[in-house]
Amino acid sequence: MSITEHELKIKLEGIEDPDIGEDIISLGLVNDVTIEDETARISLAFNTPYAPSEMELGNRIREVCDDVGLEADLRAHAGAEHGFDDEVLPRVRNVIAVASGKGGVGKTTVAANLAAGLEKRGAMVGLLDADIHGPNIPKILPVESEPGVTPSEDIVPPRSDGVRVISMGFMMEEEDDPAILRGPMVNKFMLKFLEGVEWGRLDYLIVDLPPGTGDATLNLLQSMPVTGSVVVTTPQEMALEDTRKGIQMFNKHDTPVLGVVENMSSFVCPSCDDQHGLFGTEGANSIVDKYDVPLIGQIPIHPDFGAEGSEGAIVKDDDSPVQESVEEVVANIADRIGETNRRTVDANTSDDPADKLPTELED
């Protein structure tokens, strides 16, 4: 069956983005189509590796090609022309901030499992522990070596089961030493972590922000091209009140809020696996309704998740009863990142007449 590149593009108009509700051609998600030797080489403006929704879109494109007798060769390219920053952290595709309005809600545990979960799916992931005063990432993701240094004195992140990790905790002589730092010193360390780390090529850089809405958080938001933020809360009203403040902070700085993760949503009895709402139920729904942000997922209380002295990410523990809940959160966040990126592409290509195609073939 012979088909032209123009005809194939029109067939691709039949594929609808599951999150945005428009076809992939109108959204500007198809950069280029060439057909050679029964192979359709298609460049896609995708920037979210291993996100379930983008993988599904890729499968649907392959089906369309297969239906017309072509082998699909799909490539991803999303750059400055699509609205993505190519100057600050140019080798990092997505910077994801994980925040909380207050401490003690499991923000760091969520950040560590998000990083490990994306790495588990196949992505190249870095984790920046920006919680200067409480650098606990190394306790959850123990690293395999000490940080290295390049000839230009950039820090080389050590790895924790595939995730590249940088933390203030590496700079302390003793594990329990307090990080007593004033504003200028905090900013100095943050600048080093931003500009003086050799991350290599990353699909995702997860940033574990300090709790609250202080200067350190604001400086990071102003210095990094943040794709979106994830806000962690618990069902208690006090935590929810601080979470509302955090969402408003991100909105004021034009940082998309990908959604809310409700940690400690219920208690899972380790002996019987029954769930009990110790801190109330559906507490995060009030935030979701008021600020029009999705509830990405709910993670129950369980000794496996955030327990004192636990090492390693639960998302990689096949024996943990809460692994499924955490994996669902990771997948939902990846899809929200993908939706945000595809909306960015749409916003930066929609005015280009060359991106528009007729809805039917001309005679």
Side-chain angles (χ1 to χ4, degrees):
M1 179 179 179
S2 176
I3 187 172
T4 68
E5 294 161 355
H6 181 74
E7 290 169 338
L8 179 57
K9 287 181 181 180
I10 290 178
K11 287 187 175 295
L12 293 176
E13 282 188 322
I15 299 177
E16 183 179 285
D17 186 296
D19 301 313
I20 302 177
E22 298 181 32
D23 72 86
I24 61 174
I25 295 293
S26 297
L27 290 172
L29 299 177
V30 178
N31 297 323
D32 186 48
V33 175
T34 60
I35 299 176
E36 184 178 354
D37 297 330
E38 304 302 318
T39 297
R41 294 178 175 84
I42 302 175
S43 172
L44 299 168
F46 285 1
N47 199 48
T48 320
Y50 302 97
S53 59
E54 292 197 357
M55 294 177 71
E56 177 58 28
L57 282 171
N59 290 335
R60 293 183 61 190
I61 292 170
R62 292 184 181 92
E63 290 173 1
V64 168
C65 292
D66 185 62
D67 288 343
V68 296
L70 295 173
E71 184 77 20
D73 180 7
L74 307 185
R75 310 288 175 90
H77 168 73
E81 67 272 27
H82 301 103
F84 297 103
D85 191 291
D86 63 349
E87 295 182 0
V88 181
L89 298 173
R91 301 182 70 193
V92 178
R93 286 190 171 192
N94 298 283
V95 177
I96 308 303
V98 180
S100 65
K102 61 179 297 179
V105 299
K107 166 185 59 65
T108 294
T109 307
V110 170
N113 277 272
L114 172 59
L118 290 169
E119 193 280 334
K120 179 183 178 181
R121 298 179 73 88
M124 291 178 288
V125 184
L127 178 56
L128 171 57
D129 187 356
D131 192 348
I132 293 291
H133 296 288
N136 293 319
I137 286 291
K139 295 181 180 179
I140 304 172
L141 296 183
V143 296
E144 299 154 6
S145 63
E146 294 295 320
V149 181
T150 68
S152 59
E153 298 187 348
D154 285 342
I155 303 172
V156 179
R159 297 189 184 229
S160 177
D161 195 20
V163 177
R164 302 167 203 184
V165 181
I166 281 295
S167 171
M168 181 66 188
F170 300 151
M171 314 300 172
M172 297 181 180
E173 294 183 4
E174 298 293 337
E175 181 178 333
D176 295 327
D177 285 350
I180 304 175
L181 300 172
R182 298 190 182 276
M185 286 299 294
V186 171
N187 292 336
K188 180 180 178 181
F189 276 108
M190 283 295 94
L191 186 64
K192 181 63 177 178
F193 284 169
L194 291 177
E195 300 180 353
V197 176
E198 180 53 59
W199 290 107
R201 188 165 66 89
L202 294 180
D203 297 317
Y204 303 92
L205 175 60
I206 310 302
V207 183
D208 181 27
L209 291 175
T213 56
D215 288 344
T217 297
L218 295 176
N219 288 338
L220 280 168
L221 292 179
Q222 294 167 354
S223 303
M224 305 179 77
V226 179
T227 306
S229 61
V230 175
V231 183
V232 182
T233 188
T234 61
Q236 298 135 303
E237 181 54 39
M238 186 176 296
L240 294 170
E241 181 62 32
D242 290 332
T243 299
R244 295 183 186 100
K245 296 175 183 177
I247 291 175
Q248 291 185 65
M249 175 192 68
F250 287 120
N251 288 339
K252 289 179 180 178
H253 286 81
D254 297 323
T255 301
V257 178
L258 302 174
V260 174
V261 174
E262 185 181 73
N263 193 24
M264 308 181 196
S265 61
S266 61
F267 170 68
V268 177
C269 175
S271 59
C272 65
D273 287 339
D274 286 345
Q275 294 194 29
H276 308 276
L278 298 183
F279 302 129
T281 58
E282 301 184 354
N285 287 342
S286 61
I287 295 177
V288 170
D289 294 339
K290 181 174 181 179
Y291 293 100
D292 193 28
V293 296
L295 179 61
I296 295 176
Q298 297 172 299
I299 302 174
I301 303 172
H302 191 278
D304 286 353
F305 195 77
E308 184 177 355
S310 63
E311 291 188 350
I314 297 307
V315 73
K316 293 187 176 183
D317 184 354
D318 294 337
D319 296 325
S320 173
V322 297
Q323 182 196 50
E324 184 176 351
S325 297
V326 180
E327 285 186 326
E328 182 179 353
V329 167
V330 172
N332 289 341
I333 291 174
D335 274 344
R336 285 288 292 146
I337 298 169
E339 179 185 348
T340 299
N341 284 337
R342 296 195 301 279
R343 289 188 184 278
T344 297
V345 172
D346 179 39
N348 284 273
T349 60
S350 59
D351 293 332
D352 186 352
D355 290 326
K356 302 301 180 181
L357 294 169
T359 57
E360 60 184 12
L361 290 174
E362 298 178 355
D363 293 335

